Amino acid sequence: MPSIAALRYASALILNMARTNKLLDQILRGDADANIPFSGMVQLLKRLGFQERIKGSHHIFFRDGVAEILNLQPHSGKCKPYQVKQVRNVIINYRLAGEADA
């Protein structure tokens, strides 16, 4: 029988995946680009296999096989709408949406 700590970890992991998938759906729909939380975007990009480096307020994301470099900056805890559009275009053009579940 699994321990309570293991069950809590598993439920937190499932909840985090559900949030990531919900955020991915929201980004792909494109109906709320001004309301995407920056921390959620960072988690999503990492889950999609991007590596992050930080220089000042700039969070730079890159990934093998993706020519574009995503340079994101938080604005009051949210992503800037034009940067959400850039991320959406990369996810669509490189067909990365299915990789969020991995």
Side-chain angles (χ1 to χ4, degrees):
M1 187 163 211
S3 70
I4 292 175
L7 290 173
R8 285 185 182 151
Y9 175 76
S11 65
L13 188 61
I14 291 168
L15 182 62
N16 191 23
M17 286 176 59
R19 283 186 190 136
T20 301
N21 288 337
K22 183 178 177 182
L23 182 64
L24 178 61
D25 290 342
Q26 187 179 8
I27 291 168
L28 292 176
R29 278 194 317 267
D31 58 0
D33 288 355
N35 290 318
I36 303 295
F38 188 79
S39 61
M41 179 69 84
V42 169
Q43 287 180 351
L44 174 65
L45 289 172
K46 287 181 178 180
R47 180 157 280 162
L48 291 174
F50 284 85
Q51 295 179 39
E52 176 187 28
R53 69 181 173 90
I54 302 171
K55 187 162 186 154
S57 66
H58 295 258
H59 294 248
I60 300 155
F61 293 89
F62 56 95
R63 176 186 155 148
D64 288 339
V66 175
E68 291 87 348
I69 294 173
L70 298 169
N71 184 356
L72 307 180
Q73 297 168 274
H75 179 71
S76 300
K78 306 266 187 203
C79 291
K80 295 179 179 181
Y82 79 91
Q83 293 172 342
V84 175
K85 185 175 179 183
Q86 289 173 345
V87 171
R88 179 173 42 254
N89 289 336
V90 167
I91 292 171
I92 291 169
N93 291 339
Y94 291 92
R95 297 185 174 131
L96 302 176
E99 296 183 21
D101 298 327

XYZ file of all heavy atoms in Angstrom:
802
model
N 0.855 -1.179 0.000
C 0.000 0.000 0.000
C 0.902 1.243 0.000
O 1.827 1.335 0.784
C -0.892 -0.043 1.233
C -1.923 1.018 1.283
S -3.168 0.557 2.495
C -4.531 1.314 1.754
N 0.619 2.225 -0.891
C 1.468 3.416 -0.972
C 1.342 4.279 0.285
O 0.307 4.324 0.931
C 0.945 4.173 -2.195
C -0.225 3.435 -2.698
C -0.423 2.211 -1.887
N 2.413 4.977 0.569
C 2.416 5.859 1.734
C 1.602 7.118 1.446
O 1.312 7.448 0.292
C 3.845 6.247 2.100
O 4.373 7.107 1.119
N 1.252 7.811 2.494
C 0.492 9.059 2.356
C 1.301 10.090 1.582
O 0.771 10.798 0.734
C 0.074 9.594 3.739
C -0.955 8.637 4.362
C -0.501 10.996 3.639
C -1.357 8.979 5.769
N 2.609 10.149 1.852
C 3.468 11.107 1.143
C 3.486 10.808 -0.356
O 3.441 11.720 -1.182
C 4.879 11.072 1.712
N 3.539 9.529 -0.713
C 3.548 9.144 -2.130
C 2.222 9.522 -2.790
O 2.195 9.998 -3.932
C 3.818 7.656 -2.282
N 1.129 9.313 -2.088
C -0.183 9.680 -2.631
C -0.313 11.189 -2.805
O -0.870 11.660 -3.800
C -1.299 9.155 -1.732
C -1.482 7.638 -1.728
C -2.511 7.239 -0.672
C -1.907 7.148 -3.100
N 0.184 11.946 -1.843
C 0.138 13.411 -1.958
C 0.963 13.880 -3.142
O 0.552 14.760 -3.888
C 0.637 14.066 -0.675
C -0.347 14.009 0.448
C 0.149 14.770 1.645
N -0.810 14.646 2.730
C -0.497 14.684 3.998
N 0.751 14.843 4.377
N -1.416 14.559 4.919
N 2.146 13.282 -3.305
C 3.012 13.651 -4.431
C 2.317 13.336 -5.755
O 2.310 14.155 -6.670
C 4.350 12.914 -4.342
C 5.238 13.165 -5.527
C 5.926 14.365 -5.663
C 5.369 12.213 -6.524
C 6.725 14.612 -6.754
C 6.165 12.447 -7.630
C 6.849 13.648 -7.740
O 7.633 13.888 -8.828
N 1.726 12.157 -5.854
C 1.057 11.752 -7.088
C -0.129 12.668 -7.389
O -0.327 13.080 -8.539
C 0.595 10.303 -6.992
N -0.908 13.011 -6.374
C -2.059 13.884 -6.619
C -1.611 15.292 -7.006
O -2.228 15.933 -7.855
C -2.993 13.925 -5.415
O -2.354 14.503 -4.304
N -0.522 15.773 -6.404
C 0.006 17.091 -6.776
C 0.521 17.067 -8.209
O 0.334 18.026 -8.959
C 1.114 17.509 -5.818
N 1.148 15.969 -8.605
C 1.659 15.833 -9.967
C 0.518 15.827 -10.974
O 0.575 16.514 -12.003
C 2.484 14.551 -10.086
C 3.249 14.325 -11.360
C 4.276 15.435 -11.568
C 3.940 12.975 -11.330
N -0.543 15.093 -10.672
C -1.704 15.040 -11.563
C -2.363 16.412 -11.653
O -2.733 16.865 -12.732
C -2.704 13.967 -11.078
C -2.087 12.581 -11.292
C -4.036 14.086 -11.797
C -2.832 11.456 -10.611
N -2.492 17.105 -10.532
C -3.085 18.440 -10.518
C -2.247 19.408 -11.345
O -2.788 20.203 -12.126
C -3.221 18.948 -9.085
C -3.877 20.311 -8.900
C -5.307 20.275 -9.423
C -3.856 20.700 -7.439
N -0.922 19.334 -11.222
C -0.029 20.203 -11.987
C -0.156 19.926 -13.481
O -0.180 20.844 -14.289
C 1.415 20.021 -11.513
C 2.337 21.065 -12.081
O 1.908 22.149 -12.469
N 3.612 20.746 -12.147
N -0.267 18.652 -13.856
C -0.433 18.304 -15.270
C -1.762 18.832 -15.796
O -1.836 19.322 -16.921
C -0.336 16.790 -15.461
C 1.078 16.262 -15.328
S 1.210 14.474 -15.431
C 0.521 14.155 -17.035
N -2.801 18.753 -14.975
C -4.111 19.256 -15.387
C -4.061 20.762 -15.600
O -4.618 21.279 -16.578
C -5.170 18.890 -14.351
N -3.371 21.475 -14.702
C -3.234 22.933 -14.860
C -2.455 23.271 -16.131
O -2.795 24.199 -16.850
C -2.520 23.532 -13.660
C -3.370 23.667 -12.443
C -2.624 24.408 -11.347
N -3.354 24.329 -10.110
C -2.814 24.069 -8.938
N -1.512 23.874 -8.836
N -3.551 24.006 -7.857
N -1.385 22.497 -16.380
C -0.573 22.736 -17.568
C -1.393 22.507 -18.830
O -1.332 23.295 -19.764
C 0.675 21.823 -17.562
O 1.422 22.091 -16.378
C 1.552 22.075 -18.762
N -2.173 21.436 -18.847
C -3.004 21.161 -20.018
C -4.081 22.225 -20.203
O -4.380 22.622 -21.333
C -3.634 19.774 -19.917
C -2.617 18.674 -20.122
O -1.569 18.885 -20.727
N -2.916 17.497 -19.606
N -4.652 22.707 -19.106
C -5.653 23.771 -19.185
C -5.018 25.050 -19.736
O -5.599 25.725 -20.587
C -6.248 24.026 -17.796
C -7.346 25.056 -17.779
C -7.913 25.210 -16.384
C -8.960 26.295 -16.337
N -9.494 26.495 -14.998
N -3.810 25.358 -19.272
C -3.103 26.541 -19.759
C -2.768 26.392 -21.239
O -2.937 27.337 -22.014
C -1.834 26.772 -18.936
C -1.020 28.002 -19.314
C -1.825 29.279 -19.064
C 0.270 28.045 -18.520
N -2.316 25.205 -21.639
C -2.013 24.959 -23.048
C -3.260 25.165 -23.903
O -3.194 25.821 -24.947
C -1.460 23.545 -23.224
C -1.149 23.119 -24.655
C -0.093 24.026 -25.282
C -0.687 21.670 -24.681
N -4.395 24.647 -23.465
C -5.652 24.853 -24.198
C -5.989 26.333 -24.307
O -6.402 26.815 -25.366
C -6.808 24.114 -23.508
C -6.706 22.610 -23.628
O -5.952 22.131 -24.514
O -7.350 21.911 -22.835
N -5.801 27.063 -23.219
C -6.097 28.499 -23.206
C -5.190 29.242 -24.190
O -5.644 30.118 -24.921
C -5.920 29.035 -21.794
C -6.351 30.465 -21.600
C -6.174 30.917 -20.148
O -5.602 30.212 -19.317
N -6.667 32.097 -19.847
N -3.916 28.877 -24.217
C -2.968 29.519 -25.140
C -3.334 29.206 -26.584
O -3.344 30.091 -27.445
C -1.529 29.084 -24.822
C -1.085 29.676 -23.486
C -0.567 29.489 -25.932
C 0.195 29.075 -22.935
N -3.655 27.950 -26.860
C -3.973 27.551 -28.235
C -5.283 28.171 -28.725
O -5.418 28.468 -29.906
C -4.021 26.029 -28.351
C -2.678 25.320 -28.187
C -2.856 23.817 -28.214
C -1.679 25.775 -29.238
N -6.241 28.372 -27.815
C -7.495 29.032 -28.208
C -7.253 30.495 -28.582
O -7.922 31.031 -29.456
C -8.513 28.969 -27.061
C -9.270 27.690 -26.971
C -10.487 27.800 -26.059
N -10.245 28.527 -24.828
C -9.894 27.972 -23.675
N -9.733 26.674 -23.586
N -9.711 28.705 -22.609
N -6.345 31.151 -27.880
C -6.007 32.535 -28.190
C -7.032 33.549 -27.755
O -7.023 34.681 -28.232
N -7.906 33.191 -26.832
C -8.957 34.124 -26.435
C -8.642 34.897 -25.150
O -9.449 35.702 -24.712
C -10.298 33.393 -26.288
C -10.262 32.248 -25.290
O -9.190 32.001 -24.702
O -11.301 31.591 -25.106
N -7.460 34.652 -24.558
C -7.142 35.352 -23.309
C -5.639 35.594 -23.205
O -5.034 35.336 -22.171
C -7.648 34.539 -22.115
N -5.028 36.086 -24.267
C -3.578 36.266 -24.288
C -3.076 37.208 -23.195
O -1.949 37.079 -22.737
C -3.110 36.767 -25.652
C -3.181 35.690 -26.716
O -3.499 34.531 -26.386
O -2.923 36.004 -27.884
N -3.883 38.140 -22.757
C -3.458 39.103 -21.739
C -3.571 38.535 -20.326
O -3.125 39.169 -19.377
C -4.282 40.377 -21.846
N -4.147 37.344 -20.174
C -4.372 36.776 -18.839
C -3.626 35.471 -18.605
O -4.064 34.644 -17.816
C -5.873 36.555 -18.612
C -6.610 37.861 -18.478
O -6.127 38.781 -17.825
N -7.760 37.963 -19.099
N -2.508 35.274 -19.255
C -1.718 34.061 -19.080
C -0.685 34.324 -17.976
O 0.144 35.215 -18.107
C -0.999 33.668 -20.391
C -2.006 33.491 -21.534
C -0.148 32.418 -20.184
C -2.969 32.359 -21.357
N -0.730 33.552 -16.888
C 0.248 33.770 -15.813
C 1.661 33.408 -16.275
O 1.870 32.385 -16.926
C -0.221 32.854 -14.690
C -1.218 31.939 -15.279
C -1.684 32.506 -16.564
N 2.611 34.257 -15.927
C 3.995 34.052 -16.363
C 4.564 32.751 -15.811
O 5.203 31.990 -16.529
C 4.869 35.241 -15.953
C 6.243 35.182 -16.538
C 6.461 35.557 -17.848
C 7.312 34.727 -15.789
C 7.728 35.489 -18.408
C 8.581 34.658 -16.330
C 8.784 35.041 -17.649
N 4.314 32.476 -14.540
C 4.857 31.249 -13.934
C 4.296 30.000 -14.613
O 5.017 29.017 -14.799
C 4.563 31.215 -12.437
O 3.168 31.232 -12.209
N 3.034 30.048 -15.009
C 2.436 28.920 -15.728
C 3.058 28.725 -17.096
O 3.281 27.591 -17.531
N 3.360 29.833 -17.770
C 4.004 29.752 -19.082
C 5.393 29.131 -18.956
O 5.780 28.295 -19.772
C 4.095 31.134 -19.717
C 4.778 31.146 -21.072
S 3.832 30.334 -22.357
C 2.768 31.682 -22.842
N 6.132 29.527 -17.925
C 7.472 28.960 -17.703
C 7.362 27.455 -17.487
O 8.105 26.672 -18.095
C 8.167 29.655 -16.511
C 9.426 28.909 -16.103
C 8.485 31.106 -16.853
N 6.434 27.016 -16.646
C 6.241 25.583 -16.398
C 5.869 24.851 -17.680
O 6.372 23.756 -17.938
C 5.162 25.361 -15.350
C 5.568 25.702 -13.949
C 4.436 25.465 -12.954
O 3.300 25.196 -13.336
N 4.756 25.576 -11.676
N 4.989 25.434 -18.462
C 4.560 24.805 -19.708
C 5.737 24.643 -20.666
O 5.939 23.557 -21.231
C 3.453 25.625 -20.373
C 3.016 25.139 -21.760
C 2.388 23.762 -21.675
C 2.071 26.128 -22.399
N 6.506 25.695 -20.853
C 7.636 25.614 -21.785
C 8.656 24.579 -21.317
O 9.203 23.828 -22.136
C 8.280 26.988 -21.968
C 7.431 27.982 -22.769
C 8.045 29.369 -22.725
C 7.248 27.512 -24.198
N 8.900 24.504 -20.030
C 9.830 23.486 -19.510
C 9.273 22.089 -19.759
O 10.002 21.177 -20.135
C 10.101 23.710 -18.027
C 11.001 24.901 -17.768
C 11.261 25.083 -16.292
C 12.196 26.238 -16.039
N 12.467 26.428 -14.597
N 7.980 21.919 -19.562
C 7.350 20.618 -19.807
C 7.413 20.247 -21.290
O 7.469 19.072 -21.637
C 5.910 20.646 -19.335
C 5.221 19.310 -19.582
C 4.060 19.074 -18.694
N 4.606 18.627 -17.420
C 3.948 18.631 -16.281
N 2.731 19.068 -16.246
N 4.493 18.210 -15.174
N 7.439 21.247 -22.161
C 7.551 20.995 -23.602
C 8.995 20.771 -24.039
O 9.258 20.626 -25.230
C 6.936 22.161 -24.388
C 5.422 22.309 -24.284
C 4.960 23.584 -24.983
C 4.712 21.098 -24.858
N 9.921 20.764 -23.099
C 11.306 20.437 -23.412
C 12.218 21.622 -23.650
O 13.360 21.451 -24.079
N 11.742 22.830 -23.373
C 12.581 24.012 -23.545
C 13.508 24.163 -22.343
O 13.138 23.836 -21.215
C 11.721 25.275 -23.687
C 11.078 25.410 -25.032
C 9.868 24.785 -25.311
C 11.676 26.157 -26.027
C 9.272 24.902 -26.545
C 11.091 26.286 -27.274
C 9.892 25.654 -27.533
N 14.680 24.665 -22.610
C 15.614 25.023 -21.543
C 15.512 26.526 -21.337
O 15.225 27.269 -22.277
C 17.032 24.633 -21.934
C 17.221 23.140 -22.079
C 18.627 22.796 -22.495
O 19.577 23.412 -22.036
N 18.753 21.809 -23.368
N 15.773 26.953 -20.108
C 15.617 28.362 -19.758
C 16.941 28.927 -19.265
O 17.678 28.279 -18.549
C 14.575 28.490 -18.649
C 14.389 29.896 -18.121
C 13.468 29.937 -16.912
O 13.395 28.939 -16.170
O 12.830 30.971 -16.703
N 17.207 30.138 -19.713
C 18.281 30.902 -19.073
C 17.722 32.287 -18.805
O 16.850 32.776 -19.518
C 19.564 30.928 -19.901
C 19.542 31.694 -21.154
C 20.910 31.572 -21.853
N 20.859 32.174 -23.162
C 21.133 33.451 -23.408
N 21.499 34.255 -22.429
N 21.048 33.926 -24.622
N 18.217 32.901 -17.750
C 17.667 34.181 -17.303
C 18.774 35.218 -17.325
O 19.872 34.986 -16.826
C 17.073 34.067 -15.882
C 15.977 32.997 -15.864
C 16.532 35.407 -15.412
C 15.490 32.654 -14.475
N 18.466 36.355 -17.922
C 19.391 37.486 -17.932
C 18.572 38.722 -17.578
O 17.806 39.224 -18.403
C 20.055 37.621 -19.300
C 21.138 38.665 -19.322
C 22.050 38.491 -20.502
C 23.175 39.491 -20.358
N 24.371 39.067 -21.026
N 18.701 39.162 -16.344
C 17.872 40.269 -15.879
C 16.423 39.816 -15.789
O 16.125 38.781 -15.201
N 15.522 40.573 -16.396
C 14.108 40.185 -16.395
C 13.751 39.322 -17.606
O 12.616 38.891 -17.739
C 13.225 41.441 -16.389
O 13.389 42.155 -17.598
N 14.713 39.064 -18.467
C 14.469 38.281 -19.676
C 14.652 36.788 -19.400
O 15.708 36.367 -18.940
C 15.425 38.701 -20.800
C 15.205 40.096 -21.266
N 14.547 40.398 -22.422
C 15.551 41.284 -20.713
C 14.499 41.708 -22.575
N 15.104 42.265 -21.536
N 13.619 36.034 -19.695
C 13.675 34.581 -19.596
C 13.748 34.074 -21.038
O 12.809 34.235 -21.807
C 12.435 34.033 -18.898
C 12.347 34.430 -17.465
N 12.468 33.531 -16.438
C 12.171 35.643 -16.882
C 12.358 34.168 -15.286
N 12.170 35.455 -15.536
N 14.867 33.455 -21.373
C 15.125 33.039 -22.752
C 14.983 31.526 -22.817
O 15.649 30.796 -22.072
C 16.525 33.507 -23.191
C 16.577 35.037 -23.086
C 16.840 33.037 -24.604
C 17.950 35.596 -22.907
N 14.115 31.063 -23.706
C 13.826 29.642 -23.838
C 14.299 29.165 -25.207
O 14.054 29.810 -26.225
C 12.323 29.382 -23.694
C 11.816 29.676 -22.317
C 11.373 30.939 -21.989
C 11.809 28.692 -21.344
C 10.918 31.230 -20.718
C 11.358 28.972 -20.068
C 10.908 30.237 -19.752
N 14.949 27.998 -25.202
C 15.435 27.407 -26.443
C 15.297 25.900 -26.340
O 15.207 25.333 -25.246
C 16.887 27.821 -26.704
C 17.827 27.474 -25.583
C 18.565 26.307 -25.597
C 17.955 28.324 -24.489
C 19.410 25.984 -24.556
C 18.810 28.017 -23.435
C 19.538 26.831 -23.467
N 15.275 25.277 -27.510
C 15.091 23.831 -27.561
C 15.698 23.309 -28.844
O 15.593 23.950 -29.901
C 13.593 23.523 -27.515
C 13.258 22.065 -27.667
C 11.775 21.853 -27.757
N 11.536 20.612 -28.474
C 10.525 19.817 -28.260
N 9.610 20.136 -27.377
N 10.396 18.717 -28.950
N 16.321 22.140 -28.776
C 16.835 21.502 -29.984
C 15.678 21.231 -30.945
O 14.606 20.807 -30.525
C 17.526 20.166 -29.647
C 18.856 20.359 -28.945
O 19.434 21.455 -29.062
O 19.319 19.414 -28.288
N 15.898 21.503 -32.213
C 14.878 21.266 -33.218
C 13.923 22.424 -33.421
O 13.057 22.366 -34.295
N 14.046 23.467 -32.624
C 13.199 24.657 -32.763
C 14.117 25.826 -33.079
O 14.988 26.177 -32.275
C 12.385 24.933 -31.470
C 11.608 26.234 -31.593
C 11.444 23.779 -31.174
N 13.943 26.408 -34.254
C 14.826 27.489 -34.697
C 14.609 28.777 -33.907
O 15.554 29.520 -33.668
C 14.623 27.755 -36.192
N 13.366 29.033 -33.505
C 13.047 30.262 -32.802
C 13.519 30.208 -31.350
O 13.458 29.174 -30.706
C 11.541 30.556 -32.816
C 10.988 30.919 -34.170
C 10.587 29.699 -34.988
O 10.936 28.571 -34.606
O 9.943 29.886 -36.029
N 13.973 31.332 -30.861
C 14.292 31.506 -29.451
C 13.189 32.375 -28.868
O 12.849 33.426 -29.426
C 15.677 32.165 -29.274
C 16.767 31.226 -29.776
C 15.905 32.550 -27.822
C 18.150 31.835 -29.806
N 12.619 31.936 -27.758
C 11.529 32.678 -27.127
C 12.101 33.514 -25.988
O 12.688 32.985 -25.056
C 10.474 31.709 -26.597
C 9.800 30.847 -27.657
C 8.982 29.741 -27.017
C 8.940 31.707 -28.558
N 11.928 34.813 -26.082
C 12.419 35.755 -25.083
C 11.198 36.355 -24.388
O 10.479 37.163 -24.966
C 13.256 36.834 -25.774
C 13.880 37.805 -24.801
O 13.646 37.742 -23.604
N 14.676 38.709 -25.329
N 10.953 35.920 -23.155
C 9.765 36.357 -22.426
C 10.149 37.230 -21.242
O 11.179 37.021 -20.613
C 8.985 35.141 -21.911
C 8.616 34.074 -22.931
C 7.849 32.954 -22.246
C 7.817 34.658 -24.067
N 9.284 38.194 -20.958
C 9.453 39.067 -19.806
C 8.126 39.144 -19.064
O 7.087 39.347 -19.690
C 9.829 40.479 -20.240
C 11.134 40.586 -20.966
C 11.249 41.946 -21.600
O 10.775 42.147 -22.705
N 11.862 42.871 -20.896
N 8.162 38.995 -17.741
C 6.907 39.132 -16.990
C 6.463 40.592 -16.937
O 7.285 41.506 -16.949
C 7.265 38.618 -15.594
C 8.740 38.789 -15.479
C 9.296 38.678 -16.869
N 5.161 40.785 -16.915
C 4.583 42.126 -16.755
C 3.458 41.993 -15.736
O 2.397 41.450 -16.052
C 4.056 42.647 -18.092
C 3.443 43.997 -17.996
N 4.191 45.133 -17.788
C 2.153 44.409 -18.057
C 3.376 46.187 -17.737
N 2.140 45.757 -17.894
N 3.730 42.418 -14.509
C 2.761 42.300 -13.403
C 2.316 40.852 -13.201
O 1.137 40.584 -12.991
C 1.546 43.197 -13.662
O 1.942 44.537 -13.777
N 3.258 39.915 -13.307
C 2.956 38.509 -13.076
C 2.321 37.794 -14.250
O 2.034 36.601 -14.166
N 2.084 38.500 -15.324
C 1.453 37.916 -16.515
C 2.426 37.967 -17.685
O 3.421 38.684 -17.661
C 0.190 38.697 -16.897
C -0.814 38.842 -15.798
C -1.835 37.769 -15.874
C -2.926 38.056 -14.840
N -3.628 36.883 -14.471
N 2.099 37.208 -18.729
C 2.869 37.273 -19.970
C 2.342 38.412 -20.819
O 1.161 38.751 -20.761
C 2.700 35.980 -20.759
S 3.463 34.563 -19.998
N 3.217 38.986 -21.605
C 2.785 40.014 -22.542
C 2.040 39.325 -23.692
O 2.464 38.275 -24.173
C 3.986 40.781 -23.070
C 4.703 41.560 -21.976
C 5.904 42.295 -22.513
C 6.579 43.085 -21.400
N 7.744 43.836 -21.882
N 0.912 39.893 -24.128
C 0.089 39.234 -25.144
C 0.847 38.884 -26.432
O 0.646 37.795 -26.979
C -1.025 40.246 -25.412
C -1.140 41.014 -24.137
C 0.255 41.100 -23.600
N 1.722 39.749 -26.912
C 2.428 39.436 -28.148
C 3.394 38.271 -27.951
O 3.656 37.501 -28.887
C 3.157 40.668 -28.709
C 4.461 41.012 -28.038
C 5.669 40.501 -28.513
C 4.501 41.839 -26.922
C 6.870 40.828 -27.898
C 5.694 42.167 -26.301
C 6.877 41.660 -26.801
O 8.058 41.970 -26.190
N 3.894 38.086 -26.723
C 4.778 36.961 -26.452
C 3.990 35.654 -26.367
O 4.474 34.603 -26.783
C 5.575 37.211 -25.171
C 6.559 38.353 -25.337
C 7.246 38.767 -24.050
O 6.796 38.447 -22.949
N 8.354 39.479 -24.180
N 2.764 35.715 -25.863
C 1.891 34.536 -25.859
C 1.624 34.105 -27.296
O 1.659 32.911 -27.612
C 0.571 34.825 -25.108
C -0.382 33.648 -25.221
C 0.840 35.152 -23.649
N 1.409 35.060 -28.180
C 1.168 34.747 -29.591
C 2.408 34.078 -30.204
O 2.286 33.128 -30.977
C 0.820 36.020 -30.357
C 0.441 35.781 -31.792
C -0.006 37.050 -32.478
C -0.364 36.768 -33.928
N -0.740 37.962 -34.649
N 3.599 34.561 -29.852
C 4.824 33.941 -30.354
C 4.931 32.495 -29.874
O 5.271 31.597 -30.656
C 6.052 34.731 -29.883
C 6.209 36.070 -30.548
C 7.343 36.892 -29.942
O 7.847 36.589 -28.864
N 7.724 37.949 -30.639
N 4.646 32.259 -28.600
C 4.693 30.900 -28.056
C 3.666 30.019 -28.768
O 3.971 28.888 -29.149
C 4.463 30.916 -26.527
C 4.279 29.499 -25.988
C 5.614 31.613 -25.819
N 2.451 30.524 -28.947
C 1.402 29.765 -29.635
C 1.861 29.359 -31.033
O 1.698 28.217 -31.444
C 0.106 30.573 -29.703
C -1.013 29.838 -30.428
C -2.375 30.520 -30.394
N -2.335 31.954 -30.607
C -2.509 32.853 -29.649
N -2.732 32.501 -28.410
N -2.462 34.139 -29.925
N 2.466 30.300 -31.768
C 2.924 29.997 -33.122
C 4.001 28.912 -33.123
O 3.998 28.036 -33.991
C 3.426 31.264 -33.814
C 2.299 32.202 -34.170
O 1.155 31.789 -34.323
N 2.606 33.484 -34.284
N 4.910 28.945 -32.155
C 5.950 27.912 -32.063
C 5.316 26.560 -31.740
O 5.649 25.543 -32.360
C 7.019 28.301 -31.012
C 7.907 27.113 -30.668
C 7.861 29.458 -31.527
N 4.388 26.529 -30.788
C 3.731 25.271 -30.415
C 3.005 24.675 -31.614
O 3.094 23.469 -31.875
C 2.768 25.486 -29.234
C 3.559 25.808 -27.960
C 1.888 24.256 -29.011
C 2.706 26.252 -26.790
N 2.315 25.515 -32.373
C 1.563 25.032 -33.533
C 2.499 24.627 -34.669
O 2.371 23.540 -35.230
C 0.551 26.102 -34.001
C -0.556 26.258 -32.957
C -0.032 25.742 -35.361
C -1.460 27.444 -33.173
N 3.459 25.484 -35.004
C 4.339 25.214 -36.143
C 5.199 23.974 -35.948
O 5.500 23.278 -36.926
C 5.220 26.422 -36.441
C 4.436 27.593 -36.986
O 3.336 27.426 -37.507
N 4.978 28.787 -36.848
N 5.609 23.703 -34.708
C 6.453 22.543 -34.434
C 5.677 21.362 -33.862
O 6.256 20.366 -33.451
C 7.615 22.933 -33.497
C 8.607 23.834 -34.175
C 8.498 25.210 -34.104
C 9.665 23.301 -34.920
C 9.405 26.041 -34.735
C 10.582 24.117 -35.555
C 10.456 25.487 -35.460
O 11.360 26.317 -36.095
N 4.353 21.512 -33.804
C 3.457 20.460 -33.323
C 3.888 19.913 -31.964
O 4.070 18.716 -31.776
C 3.373 19.334 -34.357
C 2.785 19.825 -35.656
C 2.574 18.710 -36.632
N 1.874 19.254 -37.802
C 2.264 19.043 -39.040
N 3.311 18.300 -39.292
N 1.582 19.565 -40.028
N 4.032 20.819 -31.013
C 4.505 20.465 -29.678
C 3.377 20.207 -28.683
O 3.648 19.792 -27.558
C 5.407 21.585 -29.136
C 6.631 21.951 -29.965
C 7.356 23.133 -29.339
C 7.550 20.764 -30.117
N 2.135 20.458 -29.074
C 1.025 20.396 -28.114
C 0.912 19.040 -27.445
O 0.606 18.959 -26.264
C -0.276 20.769 -28.802
N 1.171 17.959 -28.135
C 1.049 16.622 -27.542
C 2.153 16.297 -26.565
O 2.047 15.352 -25.796
N 3.219 17.071 -26.558
C 4.364 16.782 -25.696
C 4.173 17.277 -24.268
O 4.966 16.954 -23.400
C 5.638 17.374 -26.290
C 6.007 16.747 -27.617
C 7.302 17.281 -28.181
O 8.124 17.820 -27.422
O 7.489 17.156 -29.398
N 3.145 18.039 -24.005
C 2.906 18.542 -22.643
C 2.526 17.417 -21.705
O 2.679 17.530 -20.498
C 1.826 19.621 -22.644
N 2.024 16.318 -22.247
C 1.613 15.179 -21.415
C 2.786 14.308 -21.012
O 2.669 13.496 -20.120
C 0.594 14.314 -22.162
C -0.671 15.087 -22.478
O -1.037 15.950 -21.674
O -1.290 14.814 -23.519
N 3.919 14.477 -21.683
C 5.071 13.594 -21.424
C 5.777 13.931 -20.130
O 5.649 14.944 -19.559
C 6.043 13.698 -22.585
